[in-house]
Amino acid sequence: MSVHPLPSSTPAAQGVDASGVHAFLDALEADPAIEPHSLMVLRHGHLVASGWWAPYSAERPHHLYSLSKSFTATAAGLAAAEGLIRFDDPVISYFPEFEADVTDPRSRAVLVRHVASMSSGHLAETLDRARETDREELVRGFLLVPPDRDPGTVFAYNQPTTYTLAAIVQRVTGQSLTDYLRPRLLDPLGIGEVAWQRDRRGRELGFSGLHAATDAIARLGQLYLRDGVWDGERLLPEGWVAEATRMHVANADGGTGGAPSDWQQGYGFQFWMSRHGFRGDGAYGQFCLVLPEQDAVIALTAATEEMQEVLNLVWEHLLPAFGPGPLAAPRPEDAALGERLARLALPPAPGKPAPPERTEEWSGAAFTPYGGVCAERPGLTAVDVTPLADGWRLTLTEGGHRLDLRLGGDGWSVGDEPVPTALSGGWTDPDTLVAEVVFLETPHRLVVTCSLADRTFTARWRTVPLDTRPLRAMGAPRGSV
């Protein structure tokens, strides 16, 4: 979180009808398929609405998944302005050690602009094939997967293209993405600590893995809304925003049943075109929406597989709330919205206190996976339940490592070691304990069910992590774990 708050204002003063924000919140919270985590709305450069659904909070970073890509593209734009890369150079020219291996003419014709716009000529995601080809060097693996069409002619959402762009930036700068961006982007914007996952080579992934607060998303969006200028200082090269946020190759990715899709409007340099404005987005509902016509930015984090529905709700409720000029004040809707945003909270998982007649049986009970192995988390081998003076301790053992969690009271029990979590739940009957573990720097929640009758447990994700990190590392990278 930044130590320099964004300028703030009432919704009415910036021409925002607070009743539209209320309606948007109502719709988000009424949809069982959407778990909102945070929302920030900026209009005319002022923060007019912000809130976090407890146990999520403003200062915590959140895994942005593919919204990371927009930060990677920004680093590439800065490197190009410094003459370190050129978008019309062949990718292979930055990796001369692969020259002898990469012989396919189309692979050799892939330019930096093609990986920046996901138009490498492949017709589908190449991540698995690239990894199978070379598990140690994903750039080489990617270049050894021959494109199906000429580069620049087709779009395919393709993680190794962004990874390659990130690898080029890190190679020519001699720095990680975060180190390169810190003095050029993050510090000038007032963005606090961020952390980016690395691969086994030590490279920051580029295509995913960035953990940053919602505030960082909002500031990036505002910078792009203002054509790369922040507080009167140009941070991004002139013309970069227009180039990065225009359609480079048409796409038809993500359409379902003929319904209008915000994934069919074209793709820029790691930004999506939307039915309104443009955006960066990441799996499970991480959004940076930039709306030039409304002079607005919306930053949002969530846990949902219904990302199109989130955008539909934005277009339905928030878009009409942006009026042409200030509204008459004072408006009770503004005060009510501020109060509502200050007390947002996710409901804790239901459950009763431990049954008194079975307390001794539950004390120190050990559970093994139902069926012999935990299907969604094979490395999770044991769950232990231990009484505490003020509740219970739930211990998850994965790969020989323990994750101790406290269960107590009616709300969320928050812990920070070894990874930020919040736990809630209780007994659904005398023989069954159900606890839900929220990993507070991610969109992910693990539901653990223990059965005393057969001393077994099950564990299932509400949203399945797209990487293979151990539970004890299910948060922003913090060195070795």
Side-chain angles (χ1 to χ4, degrees), residues 134-458:
D134 193 328
R135 295 199 172 274
E136 298 300 320
E137 174 51 271
L138 188 60
V139 173
R140 180 179 178 276
F142 165 64
L143 291 173
L144 288 175
V145 177
D148 307 283
R149 300 286 187 271
D150 289 340
T153 61
V154 293
F155 170 86
Y157 197 68
N158 192 0
Q159 312 298 340
T161 59
T162 318
Y163 178 89
T164 298
L165 182 67
I168 291 171
V169 172
Q170 291 173 90
R171 173 165 284 204
V172 300
T173 64
Q175 295 179 284
S176 68
L177 294 171
T178 50
D179 286 346
Y180 180 67
L181 287 173
R182 175 56 61 191
R184 295 164 176 83
L185 182 83
L186 304 179
D187 283 345
L189 290 185
I191 292 174
E193 289 302 309
V194 302
W196 213 317
Q197 283 176 259
R198 297 173 181 251
D199 65 7
R200 63 181 66 188
R201 296 184 65 88
R203 283 191 193 129
E204 291 180 342
L205 295 181
F207 65 85
S208 187
L210 178 60
H211 294 68
T214 313
D215 178 81
I217 302 173
R219 289 169 188 261
L220 182 75
Q222 185 65 24
L223 177 67
Y224 271 77
L225 181 66
R226 291 287 179 263
D227 191 33
V229 175
W230 186 266
D231 284 344
E233 179 186 357
R234 174 161 292 284
L235 301 183
L236 303 181
E238 193 166 357
W240 167 255
V241 170
E243 183 70 3
T245 63
R246 70 173 178 85
M247 182 175 69
H248 285 262
V249 180
N251 68 65
D253 193 27
T256 55
S261 168
D262 283 288
W263 281 266
Q264 293 178 301
Q265 310 301 316
Y267 197 73
F269 283 165
Q270 310 297 303
F271 283 90
W272 293 93
M273 309 303 99
S274 295
R275 284 179 287 163
H276 305 277
F278 59 89
R279 71 187 193 282
D281 67 36
Y284 301 122
Q286 324 319 313
F287 287 106
C288 177
L289 308 180
V290 182
L291 305 173
E293 288 188 18
Q294 290 75 28
D295 194 26
V297 171
I298 300 166
L300 193 151
T301 63
T304 182
E305 294 183 351
E306 302 299 327
M307 291 177 63
Q308 180 62 69
E309 182 56 25
V310 174
L311 292 177
N312 290 344
L313 296 178
V314 171
W315 310 148
E316 180 181 354
H317 299 293
L318 284 184
L319 207 63
F322 298 123
L327 304 175
R331 288 173 58 85
E333 296 94 332
D334 285 12
L337 178 62
E339 294 171 4
R340 178 177 184 176
L341 290 167
R343 54 181 168 78
L344 293 173
L346 300 177
K352 299 177 180 178
E357 72 277 10
R358 307 294 291 278
T359 299
E360 287 191 14
E361 292 180 75
W362 278 100
S363 298
F367 302 85
T368 56
Y370 179 80
V373 63
C374 183
E376 290 197 22
R377 201 75 193 179
L380 185 56
T381 55
V383 176
D384 296 277
V385 179
T386 310
L388 299 171
D390 57 349
W392 295 80
R393 180 171 61 235
L394 202 68
T395 300
L396 311 183
T397 301
E398 182 186 49
H401 295 272
R402 293 163 52 98
L403 180 60
D404 291 326
L405 307 164
R406 180 184 169 277
L407 179 65
D410 297 328
W412 295 97
S413 296
V414 176
D416 283 299
E417 296 295 336
V419 64
T421 58
L423 186 71
S424 67
W427 279 261
T428 56
D429 63 56
D431 280 317
T432 309
L433 169 64
V434 180
E436 302 197 4
V437 188
V438 171
F439 292 88
L440 289 171
E441 294 177 344
T442 80
H444 304 304
R445 181 189 294 218
L446 187 68
V447 182
V448 179
T449 304
C450 297
S451 171
L452 192 62
D454 57 8
R455 301 295 175 110
T456 63
F457 76 87
T458 61

Side-chain angles (χ1 to χ4, degrees), residues 71-131:
F71 286 84
T72 297
T74 305
L78 290 166
E82 294 176 2
L84 299 176
I85 65 174
R86 292 183 298 184
F87 279 85
D88 289 319
D89 283 346
V91 167
I92 191 67
S93 68
Y94 292 91
F95 301 94
E97 67 272 30
F98 306 148
E99 279 276 0
D101 299 330
V102 180
T103 58
D104 182 87
R106 284 176 171 159
S107 292
R108 296 181 66 86
V110 174
L111 306 179
V112 174
R113 69 172 54 255
H114 297 145
V115 293
S117 59
M118 292 202 185
S119 60
S120 61
H122 298 93
L123 295 178
E125 173 69 69
T126 65
L127 184 58
D128 290 343
R129 285 183 290 164
R131 282 177 172 164

